[in-house]
Amino acid sequence: MHSAALSTSALDLLLLLRGSEPEGLGRSEQVSHQIETTILMGILSEGDRLPTESALAAKLGVSPITLRQSLATLRAKGLIETSRGRSGGSVVRGHGGLSDRELQQKLRETSTESLRDLGDLGAAIASMSARLAASRADPRNVEHLADLARAHRESAVEPASRRLDGRFHVGLSIAAQSSRLTSAALQFEAELTTLWWGQTEPAGRHLHAAGEHDAIVEAIRAQDPDAAGSAAEFHSRKLTEHLIAQHLELGMMSEEGN
């Protein structure tokens, strides 16, 4: 299979994910979590080739030994494949992630208050990113967002469509030309992937979400910060409503099973 070198933008996003890992992890576990999350979110795709061990270790600020431990963990999970020699290196080979059952359990155990709080954060990041993008985005940023929105609309398979939805949100913060907002968006989406990817979307939600993406892109294209911010917040709030509804449904199913 043909492998592609990791783009600078994908590497930049990988580096911005530092700090998204759970507390209490050792450094090698933190690095493997960063890379695994980047793969799960679709920032790294199957066939992407990671930088050389020495180059990646330097970028991540870890020793080559620590990085090798992280890569060994990823190989054991089937996420990467490593070959030796002049043309060797590590290549992404899968998306991995928790099973639907594990995801559903995590959502069930997360309180409604925590979900609402997470939703408030997501709405704030999305709204501010869209507002700034309407003022700062260059034509290339806008077309990238339009491409992501189009790819999401045309993707009818989960979780691919959800990866594209997450990438659209990260794309908003990139279009806002704010590295701090991009880092916040990445960490928010990383947490979100462990909550809602095990749930089935309501009928028609995919098309509604696609229309919401289009509204955000058009407001940014029109350089209308208020409309862009409102459209992005509305889109983010709808996801929170869905998560809370799924959480309550899982709770009722659990009670009926007891």
Side-chain angles (χ1 to χ4, degrees):
M1 180 185 295
H2 174 71
S3 60
L6 184 60
S7 70
T8 302
S9 59
L11 179 58
D12 289 341
L13 293 177
L14 168 61
L15 299 177
L16 285 174
L17 263 170
R18 182 171 184 178
S20 65
E21 64 276 352
E23 295 181 2
L25 297 183
R27 192 66 186 104
S28 67
E29 295 170 313
Q30 291 174 358
V31 170
S32 59
H33 183 274
Q34 275 180 266
I35 299 174
E36 181 175 357
T37 301
T38 311
I39 294 171
L40 177 62
M41 293 173 66
I43 295 169
L44 295 181
S45 302
E46 185 168 0
D48 283 345
R49 179 179 294 277
L50 298 179
T52 63
E53 289 184 0
S54 59
L56 186 55
K59 286 285 187 181
L60 291 169
V62 298
S63 70
I65 293 176
T66 297
L67 179 64
R68 289 189 196 108
Q69 292 172 338
S70 302
L71 296 179
T73 298
L74 297 172
R75 279 195 298 274
K77 292 183 176 182
L79 296 176
I80 65 170
E81 181 180 279
T82 304
S83 57
R84 301 299 174 186
R86 172 178 287 184
S87 60
S90 295
V91 177
V92 176
R93 286 295 181 239
H95 281 111
L98 300 173
S99 68
D100 284 355
R101 184 173 181 177
E102 290 171 317
L103 290 167
Q104 289 169 2
Q105 180 178 349
K106 183 172 177 61
L107 178 56
R108 184 173 58 248
E109 294 175 349
T110 303
S111 68
T112 302
E113 291 74 17
S114 294
L115 292 173
R116 187 174 294 113
D117 189 49
L118 181 65
D120 289 341
L121 174 62
I125 294 171
S127 177
M128 182 54 69
S129 294
R131 289 184 65 87
L132 291 177
S135 302
R136 299 176 178 176
D138 58 37
R140 184 173 54 182
N141 293 144
V142 178
E143 290 313 308
H144 179 59
L145 281 175
D147 288 343
L148 288 173
R150 187 179 308 110
H152 171 268
R153 177 185 292 277
E154 293 173 355
S155 176
V157 180
E158 298 180 17
S161 65
R162 299 188 183 192
R163 288 193 183 95
L164 287 165
D165 183 82
R167 287 175 62 189
F168 178 85
H169 283 264
V170 174
L172 271 182
S173 60
I174 293 173
Q177 299 185 16
S178 168
S179 61
R180 288 184 181 272
L181 269 177
T182 302
S183 179
L186 279 164
Q187 294 184 32
F188 171 79
E189 292 297 330
E191 185 170 358
L192 198 62
T193 59
T194 65
L195 290 170
W196 79 298
W197 282 23
Q199 318 309 313
T200 301
E201 289 189 317
R205 177 56 196 154
H206 179 81
L207 288 179
H208 283 303
E212 291 158 13
H213 288 165
D214 291 341
I216 296 168
V217 173
E218 290 312 307
I220 292 173
R221 198 190 301 276
Q223 300 182 329
D224 188 336
D226 289 339
S230 295
E233 180 173 359
F234 176 81
H235 174 62
S236 185
R237 294 289 185 192
K238 295 300 290 184
L239 173 55
T240 302
E241 291 175 9
H242 169 58
L243 271 180
I244 292 175
Q246 289 291 307
H247 162 74
L248 294 174
E249 182 177 338
L250 287 170
M252 287 189 292
M253 290 171 59
S254 179
E255 290 178 3
E256 290 172 358
N258 293 330

